[in-house]
Amino acid sequence: MSINFTLTIILMLWRPFGINETIPTAIGALTLLVAGIVPWMDVLNIFDIIIGASLTILSTIMMSIVLESIGFFRWIALNIIIRSKGSGVRLFADTNLLCLFLTMFFNNDGSILITTPIIIHIVTLLKIKPHQKIPFLNIRSSNCNGSECHNSSKQYFQFDWTKNCRTEP
């Protein structure tokens, strides 16, 4: 098994004859299945576990492609630019709020797939210099990740404040 793993990693990184990295990994996985090291039932269980998330990401990608093709992201970018009224601080705040609200309704991947084209349209329409684009892209990634962290962890940190409050007579 370690020989299979090592050979797969070497071929994946080396890419002899310019082959795609998926070919050695697929061959390595098939080798493990044929040798019986990994049972077919485990593969079916894994597919059963990940199929929902995979379909969600694929549908979000398709939705993003459709929205880009009809000009929706450009329209949103123009409205954010108009709403900022020439203020860079307000533009930054509006972009931050957009990322925050989208992450509340979509998962991390969906939020990034939707906000990235909008931010790219904003910085392109305003002809922002490359070093000035970094805060907008950083706020997108940190806001999406931070909001997702909050959404996924809030079930673990629920706290009833009324239990620990003392009222004096």
Side-chain angles (χ1 to χ4, degrees), residues 139-155:
I139 198 65
R140 176 201 45 87
S141 62
S142 64
N143 198 342
C144 292
N145 288 330
S147 300
E148 178 65 23
C149 176
H150 170 69
N151 288 339
S152 64
S153 63
K154 64 183 167 188
Q155 63 184 344

Side-chain angles (χ1 to χ4, degrees), residues 47-61:
F47 276 126
D48 189 41
I49 292 169
I50 67 166
I51 193 71
S54 300
L55 291 177
T56 301
I57 290 173
L58 289 173
S59 63
T60 306
I61 290 170

